[in-house]
Amino acid sequence: MKITAADTIVTSPGRNFVTLRITTEDGITGLGDGTLNGRELAVASYLSDHVAPLLIGRDAARIEDTWQYLYRGAYWRRGPVTMAAVAAVDTALWDIKAKAAGMPLYQLLGGASRTGALAYGHASGRDVPEILDSVRAHLAQGYRAIRIQSGIPGLDSVYGVAASGAGGGDRYDYEPARRSGDGPPRPVEEVWDTRAYLRHVPRVFEAVRAEFGPELPLLHDGHHRMTPIQAARLGKDLEPYDLFWLEDATPAEDPTALRLVRQHTTTPLAIGEVFNSPHDYGVLLSERLIDYVRSAVTHVGGVTAMRKLLDLAALYGIKSGIHGPTDISPVGMAAALHLDLAVHNFGIQEYMRHSAGTLEVFRTSYRFGEGLLHPSDQPGLGVELDETAAARFPYAPAYLPVNRLTDGTVHDW
Ligand SMILES: [Mg+2]
């Protein structure tokens, strides 16, 4: 089953996506997601200039060998651009293998371990009444687990908080990567105050628990903005509200920072969305410093790398919490859902609904109901790309925001 074509498709139905489509000599096609939010064209070039020529003539069935060939063969290993490209190839080859077998991918991964994957949605608001409304709206949509992000008094905009009422669409839509207006594209700059945040967030969770009771699983994302001792304090302050997890408490480059956080709090911890290799998890798994692995299939090196990572985590009793914001394309989301259904140590799946424009380009078959996601039983990943629709949405430069402290110092966004 030789590979005859490997095409990189960049499309922007409201936000940018990089998709690799691999075609075999017998006409089977597979899709892989290589989207790297804000740096999309670097992955597109890596794929079309440096990877696609190597794929032509290779046996599409040799997934592990191709992964090792691209990973070790480049000499320059890891990094977000390289690993998103490797992930795109790997995911497309798994799509092809499952289509050739006439099975949904989860069957090749060992079959279903559950009936569906518990999904969490993103509730947010500028103040407590808006947050309570947002939680109610998510419960009405069927979510059974909810992430809570809040505006902070004195700050104009905060990560994870939807611009309520803006744009005339769903008032809970949230898209941090902003396209340029007039002039050259520049990231929006936001202002941040960690002390104000630490004072406010426990009050928010107190209000949410008082309104919705003790059972609803609640999550929160710290977005890598705290020092270890600040994160330790927040974890302690949130213990009365029984979080499902506190995510990205400290900057991701130093996993050992979580040792100090762990010593001070029993709030469960999750991290990994900006990691780009299973190797990034070394001490986090072996010292049991986290409870959930947060990588995206798209950014950790594909289905092959994610399966190995989750199997290693399982040996330490650590569960999955695969990254699933809207900058993971429906192709990357479908790959996550097949893993969610198959692995024993599934924890929860992040699920932000894609826009109508995105779902026009990517024809999905996965389904959401009663709080659970299912990848569908179509052969392969169960996602098709409508190339005509994709061509109607050309690439548009967009950047994630840059963050500064109140004195102007650049801080983690
Ligand atoms: Mg996060």
Side-chain angles (χ1 to χ4, degrees):
M1 194 163 54
K2 282 196 170 58
I3 294 169
T4 54
D7 302 301
T8 305
I9 298 140
V10 179
T11 182
S12 191
R15 62 159 3 287
N16 295 312
F17 294 108
V18 176
T19 309
L20 181 70
R21 183 185 54 210
I22 294 178
T23 307
T24 66
E25 59 190 343
D26 36 9
I28 300 178
T29 60
L31 298 177
D33 179 26
T35 305
L36 187 61
N37 199 355
R39 297 293 186 272
E40 297 88 357
L41 296 186
V43 183
S45 165
Y46 194 106
L47 283 168
S48 57
D49 294 330
H50 302 295
V51 171
L54 308 179
L55 296 177
I56 307 304
R58 290 184 68 84
D59 182 354
R62 296 182 64 179
I63 299 176
E64 178 72 27
D65 183 67
T66 300
W67 195 97
Q68 301 293 347
Y69 181 86
L70 294 174
Y71 180 76
R72 295 174 195 277
Y75 188 65
W76 311 107
R77 299 182 191 182
R78 306 172 57 173
V81 175
T82 297
M83 297 308 285
V86 171
V89 174
D90 182 79
T91 304
L93 293 181
W94 277 108
D95 192 17
I96 288 169
K97 189 177 278 290
K99 283 180 180 173
M103 293 179 183
L105 174 59
Y106 73 80
Q107 292 290 4
L108 295 190
L109 299 174
S113 289
R114 55 195 53 79
T115 55
L118 177 67
Y120 73 89
H122 289 197
S124 70
R126 292 169 298 189
D127 53 28
V128 166
E130 277 193 7
I131 291 168
L132 299 182
D133 281 350
S134 180
V135 173
R136 283 186 205 102
H138 281 79
L139 292 173
Q141 288 174 13
Y143 284 102
R144 289 181 181 170
I146 298 180
R147 189 185 84 162
I148 306 286
Q149 301 298 130
S150 173
I152 306 299
L155 301 183
D156 289 339
S157 61
V158 175
Y159 162 76
V161 178
S164 185
D170 184 332
R171 65 180 290 208
Y172 302 113
D173 281 353
Y174 171 68
E175 177 49 72
R178 280 168 232 164
R179 295 171 186 242
S180 56
D182 296 333
R186 291 278 188 276
V188 169
E189 297 204 357
E190 298 180 345
V191 176
W192 178 248
D193 180 341
T194 307
R195 293 186 67 231
Y197 164 79
L198 292 173
R199 286 194 302 272
H200 187 66
V201 169
R203 292 181 211 157
V204 170
F205 277 88
E206 181 181 25
V208 172
R209 277 287 176 230
E211 181 72 14
F212 297 100
E215 289 195 13
L216 179 65
L218 299 176
L219 303 86
H220 181 66
D221 187 353
H223 230 233
H224 309 110
R225 294 178 178 196
M226 289 172 276
T227 65
I229 203 68
Q230 289 170 337
R233 174 184 152 191
L234 182 63
K236 280 180 72 168
D237 288 350
L238 291 176
E239 281 174 19
Y241 314 114
D242 188 25
L243 264 60
F244 187 96
W245 76 36
L246 171 61
E247 168 188 348
D248 299 339
T250 51
E253 295 91 331
D254 181 9
T256 61
L258 291 178
R259 284 182 184 140
L260 190 145
V261 184
R262 200 64 150 171
Q263 285 163 10
H264 289 279
T265 181
T266 56
T267 293
L269 301 174
I271 202 164
E273 69 188 52
V274 301
F275 292 1
N276 52 69
S277 165
H279 290 282
D280 290 329
Y281 285 90
V283 297
L284 296 178
L285 301 183
S286 63
E287 296 183 22
R288 292 183 168 86
L289 299 180
I290 57 172
D291 301 278
Y292 297 92
V293 163
R294 277 288 287 148
S295 281
V297 177
T298 305
H299 300 135
V300 81
V303 172
T304 296
M306 183 62 98
R307 180 60 193 254
K308 291 178 183 181
L309 170 59
L310 294 182
D311 283 348
L312 179 60
L315 299 182
Y316 295 97
I318 294 167
K319 295 187 175 183
S320 71
I322 297 182
H323 196 216
T326 45
D327 53 286
I328 300 298
S329 88
V331 175
M333 173 58 72
L337 296 182
H338 285 279
L339 282 156
D340 290 340
L341 205 64
V343 299
H344 177 252
N345 57 327
F346 169 75
I348 201 165
Q349 173 64 52
E350 183 178 26
Y351 177 48
M352 292 174 76
R353 293 158 191 259
H354 285 103
S355 69
T358 298
L359 296 175
E360 196 183 326
V361 172
F362 297 93
R363 304 284 168 82
T364 61
S365 58
Y366 52 76
R367 54 185 188 271
F368 175 69
E370 298 183 348
L372 306 180
L373 282 158
H374 191 285
S376 95
D377 284 308
Q378 286 189 14
L381 291 170
V383 180
E384 297 300 326
L385 180 89
D386 182 331
E387 203 159 355
T388 308
R392 288 206 305 275
F393 302 106
Y395 170 77
Y399 284 99
L400 290 168
V402 168
N403 206 19
R404 292 185 186 275
L405 301 178
T406 52
D407 70 352
T409 305
V410 171
H411 192 62
D412 303 84
W413 183 77

